Amino acid sequence: MSFKNYIEPDKEKWGGKRGILFLPQYKFVYIKRKCEYWRKKNKLFFIFWRIIYQKYKIKYLIDIPAKAVIGKGFKIEHIGGIVINPEAILGENVTILNNVLIGMEKRGKRAGNPQIGNRVYIAAGAVIVGKIKIGNNVLIAANSFVNFDVPDNSIVIGNKIIPNDFATQGYV
């Protein structure tokens, strides 16, 4: 598979327009995908892109490790303050905003990292921690603290779950 095919789902999420590489949010995802693509194909190219990726992590105040597993169609709406644990797993078509933390819980019954499903929208300031599962088609509202499992087709506001079959319609 060529890199062009590898990056296509992310590009489509941004509307596939020419010139999107000038957007810092897309540029960051593009360089992360370069690291993923070359990780197993060519160590020298991987190291080259990894160094560039480190520069952009600092420049844009985003801490998403190169080894973090993120599905196709990943979109960052706003740059800054995004932290994702390297062991967290994000599904396809996940959209996140600024100041989002997806992290590890170190002790207790939820010790571990989150697993996030497909078509998930995570609004600004949301915190998702612990060994929990976020279902598919879920919207996590701004400033929500999530340390519990969330079923498919739901909206999380604060620490409450509201069932909604159209949770991410218009968002993802």
Side-chain angles (χ1 to χ4, degrees):
M1 174 191 305
S2 70
F3 180 74
K4 184 178 178 182
N5 293 338
Y6 188 76
I7 194 75
E8 195 62 35
D10 295 319
K11 191 175 179 181
E12 284 177 19
K13 182 88 179 241
W14 286 87
K17 299 173 187 169
R18 295 179 75 191
I20 58 172
L21 198 53
F22 293 108
L23 293 170
Q25 302 95 315
Y26 180 76
K27 186 184 295 185
F28 185 84
V29 172
Y30 181 87
I31 294 169
K32 181 188 183 334
R33 297 298 190 199
K34 282 280 193 181
C35 290
E36 291 173 1
Y37 183 78
W38 290 110
R39 172 178 234 114
K40 294 181 182 173
K41 292 184 181 282
N42 185 314
K43 285 287 185 195
L44 189 59
F45 283 163
F46 169 72
I47 292 168
F48 171 78
W49 285 107
R50 182 74 170 81
I51 291 168
I52 293 171
Y53 186 62
Q54 277 301 116
K55 175 189 168 219
Y56 280 97
K57 282 173 58 175
I58 294 165
K59 180 178 180 177
Y60 296 137
L61 299 174
I62 297 177
D63 187 9
I64 302 175
K67 76 176 197 170
V69 177
I70 299 176
K72 301 173 187 173
F74 179 60
K75 186 175 184 181
I76 297 172
E77 288 281 346
H78 301 289
I79 289 291
I82 298 168
V83 178
I84 298 177
N85 187 285
E87 303 300 321
I89 298 171
L90 280 70
E92 295 182 4
N93 294 311
V94 172
T95 300
I96 62 176
L97 276 70
N98 55 321
N99 295 324
V100 168
L101 169 67
I102 301 173
M104 167 188 226
E105 180 65 46
K106 291 192 175 194
R107 60 189 177 136
K109 65 180 181 179
R110 292 188 188 98
N113 295 286
Q115 182 176 347
I116 298 174
N118 301 325
R119 293 188 49 82
V120 175
Y121 182 86
I122 306 170
V127 176
I128 303 168
V129 293
K131 188 175 182 176
I132 60 170
K133 291 188 184 213
I134 306 292
N136 300 320
N137 191 36
V138 171
L139 185 144
I140 299 174
N143 296 319
S144 295
F145 179 77
V146 184
N147 67 346
F148 47 85
D149 290 339
V150 178
D152 292 348
N153 306 314
S154 300
I155 297 174
V156 178
I157 299 176
N159 61 358
K160 296 179 182 173
I161 299 173
I162 301 167
N164 187 321
D165 288 340
F166 307 102
T168 59
Q169 187 174 3
Y171 289 97
V172 177

